[in-house]
Amino acid sequence: MSATSGQADTAPAVAAVGTPGATAAPPRRLGLALAVIATAQLMVVLDATIVNVALPHIQDALHFSGTNLEWVVNAYALAFGGLLLLGGRSGDLLGRRRIFIAGILLFALASLAGGFATDQAWLLGARIVQGIGGALAAPTSLALIAVTFPEGRERNRAMGVYAAMSIAGGAVGLIAGGLLTSYADWRWVFFVNVPIGLVVAFLAPRVLGESERQKGRFDLPGAITASLGLGALVYGLSSAATSFTNGRAISHWGDTKVIVSLVASVVLLGAFALIEARSKHALVPPRVLRSRNRTGAYLISLCIGTALFGMFFFMTLFVQQVWGYSPVKSGISYLPMVGGIFLGAGLSSNLVGRLGARPLMIIGPAFAAGGMYWLSRITEASSYAGGLLGPMILTGLGMGLTFVPLSLVALAKVPNADSGVASSLLNTGQQVGGSIGLAILGTVAWSAVASNLRSASAAAGSTHLSQSAQTAMSNHALAYGFSQGYLVSAGIALLALIVSLIFIRIKKADLEGVDPMAAPTD
């Protein structure tokens, strides 16, 4: 049976091989199991963008100031990014299915509370709890693939669907957010998670096998320093992004809160590294990072998050402000990219067993870099078909080709005791990368917009410009500034290619039976 099938066929039991005394899980419906895992991952990932579309409506309803409004997004990002490592380790020690279900239920209940929010504190509290639920569910969902799906073709296909959901979630969130806010109400960007989460939590114990609980204790000092350090890093980078007001790019890199946050993150993460090197029950055991291939996979994950999330943000602004798209139309405009991601993930899951991981992890970033460079050629006069369609499909195809072998390499030869934390590091790379992308691309793009406006204003001199001329000048500046941001995204995708060339040395034979529960040998 195909792992992407929705048929109710059963598959052979999957044993926790490599673990003495392990017992096989009962036969499972693989199609339904994959649907549960993929739906949960999509729900968690798209939350980062689905709420963005509703922000103006939330601001009007709950009277957020411009400064406080950013916390509707940041509260979730901080809790999610800061607790991912703890969520992955919790699954290792307490059982991944158990933690997965707990995370999904927490996420759904927090979504329900957020939808009923009547004031700012209520909504922000719900967003924090949503982030906690997401941090529990996301790393365990990837680790559960290893427990549920037989190694080889079935697992590769499952990774393909998981990869597509992970990368396409941002675009799907924009589409869903636009539809819900336009045709229903902003509260439905939260309410929609409730029935989905409840169905996932109901089905999970029936179609997913439970992992064996590992012996050990929680590394409390490591958990505190890692969570606070990652949270400070995400907050500092999110706050550092250059803003644009009244034709001026305002840099926040020198703001006190940014400097304090980034310095605190360096100190806390440094302390975390020291604690992990000496702890008997490390949150991130040093052995997980000893593999050259695995470390390379985490670096590539960081690059993907950096390049992709910044691109989504500025492309949404471009099509709405320059081309005048509605939220619904701008969301739908991403559909070809989503299709490219699914196509790439499908091809990758079928090819990785024949070609190995390294060729795909070179070709994928090369395609993505080419697509983003092509996108940097877009202007205010470009058409959707001529300026946006091709770059989006090529970028999506590249990302889809990359993520399946990336996930397999990140989990290859990880012992059963560490597969949860290995999965969480992959998610952490994307989350931190998204914050880095918005900070760096925001600085480049808005600075270029402001510079172009100053040059155009100086060229116009004292000449009185009509409203249409002012609009044209503004649109040209936005197109120019955003194109500079896309160039940076292309460079970061190219960096992922270079990392693949330098770090990834895993052999095709090693992936023919990737068993995340086998003892590491590299």
Side-chain angles (χ1 to χ4, degrees), residues 99-117:
I99 295 299
F100 173 79
I101 295 172
I104 291 298
L105 287 175
L106 192 62
F107 188 92
L109 291 174
S111 297
L112 181 65
F116 282 119

Side-chain angles (χ1 to χ4, degrees), residues 464-472:
H464 178 72
L465 297 176
S466 65
Q467 184 62 44
S468 60
Q470 292 180 36
T471 300

